[in-house]
Amino acid sequence: MVLPHWCLLWLLLPLASRTQKLPTRDEELFQMQIRDKAFFHDSSVIPDGAEISSYLFRDTPKRYFFVVEEDNTPLSVTVTPCDAPLEWKLSLQELPEETSGEGSGDPEPLEQQKQQIINEEGTELFSYKGNDVEYFISSSSPSGLYQLELLSTEKDTHFKVYATTTPESDQLYPELPYDPRVDVTSLGRTTVTLAWKPSPTASLLKQPIQYCVVINREHNFKSLCAVDAKLSADDAFMMAPKPGLDFSPFDFAHFGFPSDNLGKERSYLAKPSPKLGRHVYSRPKVDIQQICIGNKNIFTVSDLKPDTQYYFDIFVVNTNSNTSTAYVGTFARTKEEAKQMTVELKDGKVTDVFVKRKGAKFLRFAPVSSHQKVTIFIHSCLDAIQIQVRRDGKLLLSQNVEGIRQFQLRGKPKAKYLIRLKGNKKGASMLKILATTRPSKQSFPSLPEDTRIKAFDKLRTCSSATVAWLGTQERNKFCIYKKEVDDNYNEDQKKREQNQCLGPDMRKKSEKVLCKYFHSQNLQKAVTTETIKDLQPGKSYLLDVYVIGHGGHSVKYQSKIVKTRKFC
């Protein structure tokens, strides 16, 4: 794998002048090459003053070369690992001398030059192993041929390299302030506020920058390309460079290609098999968020989970060059949920519960005697609410409840029941709840499956309306009330104004029509009708029916609006 990297070098050597100098940075040519990014794709030559991105196969070293023409030249080399630690070293080799020809200008034979370079191991200047963004900086470097060798021993990976002989004027990467730490200024259950000192690149150099905030629950990131690699892990197959003819069978195996089909690599590349690629690179569960916020240097992260540790990184990005520099990241654990007071439920007693918007309440029911089953009655007064019931830690029930519901759970000796009530996003919730081991002595009245009130249009008159509703086999007391409303009174107003748990005792006496007892052993005949009289012509009325249980607790049927005829 070493020889192909020297091919381009052999082409460069004849460019040497009789004084044995290779050209360094031609600014006009450099600007042209920088605009044409493909010029350096998969090349072994590092351009002076430009950042390049490339790819490493695991356990397969890669070498890059660049020439420093004159002694005492400033030199800066930056290597940025993306998604795996790298081993890299920088070494210096002296340029081959033209010793043949006695001044005739004829270079040495090509094979002799190649052998001379290969035999030169060079002087190691710097080496590093890790996943930090690491630098080699020298204010005065000797002329010669510099070799950068990189190796990844963990996995196939991306990386970036930047080398320049004019580090003072290039300033490719945004600068960090004297204190590059990220501070946590405020900490809550679901929010964390971060602050950091602004980059001098914006304030002093007047270059356009923006800050990007990265949040995750695993670790801090050393570079933005490491973040990008994590976010695009599923696209690694497509992001990897296409194998060329100089790749070994081992390299093809990395991408799912069988090593015995090297003669068919072009057909594989023309139509890559999704199955092969997906088999090797499956999508991981990425729990990471990146938010770019402009040039603000304070930001509040929201919608976090309570009692959870998060890692926060800030990157300053030069929006012209799209290069970035990482601040020193931080981490913090969000505060725990406020400890809830657990309400004790007494067997057969109705308890009123108020739950804040998006809040939660905990109730505990511990029967004092042995029991075969537990019955839970719940009456949601306003919007729907979620109920969860656990018996000795085991989840038995999780449902949304609207109106009135009854649940029967299998009992267990000495069992304890924890009930969690969670409010919704619309607003606060009110409800009544009863738990008992003796459902025959319940306080809530029994209800039919259908609690609507039906109005008979053909029986409407200018002064009366006839309605019907269903009952049950249990003898209950029913009270009907009426209230005059405007013609534009709609369902939304009706729902907003009415608390389903408010009983008839909260109504005006003038609104009461009548009360009566009613039941039927035959459920198909458990229906009653009533005619409401003394109404005004052409008016709308809101009708409510309340069923009152033996314990005095009432449940309201669904309200009904009727309108009397205007002309009779």
Side-chain angles (χ1 to χ4, degrees):
M1 294 298 292
V2 176
L3 291 179
H5 291 297
W6 297 99
C7 295
L8 186 56
L9 186 59
W10 299 340
L11 297 176
L12 288 174
L13 290 176
L15 297 176
S17 66
R18 294 184 181 182
T19 56
Q20 295 85 39
K21 286 186 178 180
L22 291 179
T24 56
R25 177 159 160 179
D26 181 316
E27 192 64 31
E28 183 177 350
L29 178 62
F30 166 73
Q31 293 298 336
M32 179 275 292
Q33 292 170 347
I34 292 307
R35 288 191 295 270
D36 185 10
K37 297 293 184 183
F39 182 85
F40 298 110
H41 178 69
D42 209 20
S43 168
S44 296
V45 175
I46 299 179
D48 188 349
E51 184 183 67
I52 63 170
S53 299
S54 191
Y55 193 85
L56 270 177
F57 291 111
R58 181 171 61 88
D59 293 331
T60 304
K62 201 166 194 176
R63 297 176 181 87
Y64 288 91
F65 304 91
F66 58 95
V67 175
V68 173
E69 180 182 358
E70 298 178 354
D71 289 332
N72 303 319
T73 299
L75 176 63
S76 174
V77 178
T78 303
V79 177
T80 303
C82 289
D83 52 349
L86 295 180
E87 298 179 22
W88 63 274
K89 65 179 180 179
L90 182 68
S91 57
L92 170 64
Q93 295 172 324
E94 294 191 7
L95 294 175
E97 297 289 341
E98 294 176 312
T99 57
S100 64
E102 296 295 335
S104 64
D106 297 329
E108 293 180 351
L110 185 60
E111 288 298 322
Q112 186 175 345
Q113 290 185 14
K114 179 183 72 172
Q115 193 62 40
Q116 181 180 351
I117 296 174
I118 292 176
N119 291 337
E120 289 281 348
E121 290 188 4
T123 304
E124 184 175 308
L125 302 177
F126 183 80
S127 64
Y128 174 75
K129 181 178 180 179
N131 60 355
D132 282 330
V133 180
E134 193 56 62
Y135 313 86
F136 169 80
I137 300 176
S138 174
S139 59
S140 179
S141 297
S143 61
L145 177 67
Y146 286 77
Q147 174 182 288
L148 176 64
E149 182 175 318
L150 303 103
L151 177 67
S152 173
T153 59
E154 285 194 7
K155 62 177 181 177
D156 301 346
T157 183
H158 291 267
F159 65 93
K160 294 184 178 183
V161 175
Y162 169 67
T164 179
T165 56
T166 55
E168 291 297 325
S169 59
D170 280 2
Q171 295 179 336
L172 182 70
Y173 297 99
E175 292 186 26
L176 293 177
Y178 67 92
D179 182 1
R181 293 174 299 179
V182 178
D183 295 321
V184 176
T185 60
S186 177
L187 189 64
R189 290 186 297 110
T190 60
T191 60
V192 172
T193 300
L194 307 171
W196 58 94
K197 293 178 174 58
S199 166
T201 300
S203 56
L204 299 179
L205 303 179
K206 306 301 182 184
Q207 293 185 17
I209 61 102
Q210 70 170 345
Y211 297 103
C212 293
V213 183
V214 175
I215 309 107
N216 80 105
R217 293 193 287 180
E218 293 182 5
H219 55 75
N220 288 108
F221 287 91
K222 305 294 181 65
S223 66
L224 201 52
C225 81
V227 176
D228 294 336
K230 185 77 171 179
L231 288 170
S232 58
D234 189 48
D235 299 324
F237 177 81
M238 299 306 297
M239 291 171 61
K242 295 181 178 180
L245 295 178
D246 59 334
F247 283 71
S248 70
F250 174 77
D251 297 330
F252 278 89
H254 274 248
F255 287 94
F257 294 104
S259 58
D260 57 349
N261 285 330
L262 287 183
K264 300 179 181 179
E265 67 266 39
R266 294 187 182 276
S267 63
Y268 276 120
L269 294 178
K271 295 181 181 180
S273 168
K275 292 183 180 179
L276 289 174
R278 295 291 174 179
H279 177 72
V280 178
Y281 293 95
S282 60
R283 177 180 289 276
K285 293 183 178 180
V286 178
D287 187 10
I288 181 173
Q289 186 179 12
Q290 177 180 329
I291 310 167
C292 294
I293 60 170
N295 57 8
K296 298 184 297 181
N297 64 322
I298 185 169
F299 182 71
T300 298
V301 185
S302 56
D303 295 326
L304 302 176
K305 293 183 178 180
D307 194 26
T308 304
Q309 182 158 302
Y310 289 89
Y311 295 84
F312 304 96
D313 291 290
I314 306 296
F315 298 92
V316 53
V317 182
N318 186 321
T319 55
N320 281 345
S321 63
N322 203 30
T323 54
S324 59
T325 306
Y327 279 70
V328 178
T330 188
F331 61 90
R333 178 174 289 274
T334 50
K335 292 183 178 180
E336 295 182 6
E337 286 271 17
K339 293 200 174 183
Q340 298 281 348
M341 181 188 298
T342 303
V343 178
E344 294 286 342
L345 296 180
K346 293 184 178 181
D347 197 332
K349 299 293 183 181
V350 176
T351 301
D352 294 311
V353 181
F354 176 81
V355 184
K356 295 180 180 178
R357 184 176 73 91
K358 298 171 66 173
K361 280 287 179 69
F362 291 88
L363 307 110
R364 182 175 174 270
F365 180 54
V368 294
S369 60
S370 179
H371 58 283
Q372 293 183 339
K373 62 181 179 180
V374 169
T375 304
I376 296 176
F377 297 90
I378 184 167
H379 187 188
S380 178
C381 307
L382 300 173
D383 291 312
I385 194 166
Q386 185 189 61
I387 179 173
Q388 283 187 350
V389 181
R390 295 179 183 272
R391 185 187 62 203
D392 297 334
K394 181 181 178 181
L395 182 65
L396 302 180
L397 171 70
S398 180
Q399 284 193 26
N400 289 328
V401 174
E402 191 167 7
I404 189 167
R405 291 288 302 275
Q406 172 181 318
F407 303 100
Q408 283 197 347
L409 309 174
R410 182 176 296 178
K412 194 175 181 181
K414 299 181 180 180
K416 295 179 176 59
Y417 301 82
L418 182 66
I419 302 170
R420 180 177 185 263
L421 302 170
K422 185 178 181 182
N424 58 45
K425 298 179 181 179
K426 295 180 181 179
S429 299
M430 294 176 62
L431 56 100
K432 294 178 180 290
I433 187 170
L434 177 147
T436 181
T437 58
R438 304 183 300 275
S440 59
K441 295 184 178 180
Q442 58 168 301
S443 297
F444 281 100
S446 59
L447 290 174
E449 292 185 2
D450 190 348
T451 59
R452 292 176 297 175
I453 301 172
K454 178 177 174 57
F456 297 96
D457 186 66
K458 291 182 178 180
L459 299 181
R460 278 190 309 136
T461 69
C462 292
S463 61
S464 68
T466 301
V467 294
W469 64 90
L470 296 178
T472 66
Q473 294 175 328
E474 181 182 334
R475 187 172 184 270
N476 286 317
K477 181 180 180 181
F478 294 87
C479 295
I480 186 166
Y481 285 74
K482 64 176 174 59
K483 176 184 177 182
E484 185 177 334
V485 294
D486 295 334
D487 289 340
N488 57 0
Y489 188 89
N490 54 41
E491 292 295 321
D492 289 338
Q493 286 177 290
K494 179 176 66 177
K495 190 173 183 179
R496 184 170 60 249
E497 289 180 4
Q498 293 185 335
N499 180 338
Q500 300 296 318
C501 293
L502 295 179
D505 53 320
M506 302 299 293
R507 301 292 296 261
K508 296 178 181 178
K509 289 185 179 181
S510 59
E511 295 176 353
K512 183 177 179 180
V513 177
L514 59 86
C515 290
K516 68 177 184 179
Y517 287 89
F518 160 70
H519 78 288
S520 175
Q521 294 300 321
N522 186 348
L523 288 178
Q524 293 183 348
K525 296 182 179 180
V527 58
T528 186
T529 60
E530 194 64 44
T531 299
I532 295 95
K533 301 178 181 179
D534 299 327
L535 306 180
Q536 298 297 317
K539 298 293 183 180
S540 296
Y541 291 87
L542 181 71
L543 303 182
D544 289 311
V545 171
Y546 297 88
V547 54
I548 303 170
H550 299 300
H553 294 283
S554 63
V555 177
K556 186 168 70 69
Y557 278 44
Q558 298 179 40
S559 299
K560 181 69 177 180
I561 295 178
V562 296
K563 187 174 182 179
T564 56
R565 296 185 186 277
K566 193 171 185 179
F567 303 102
C568 295

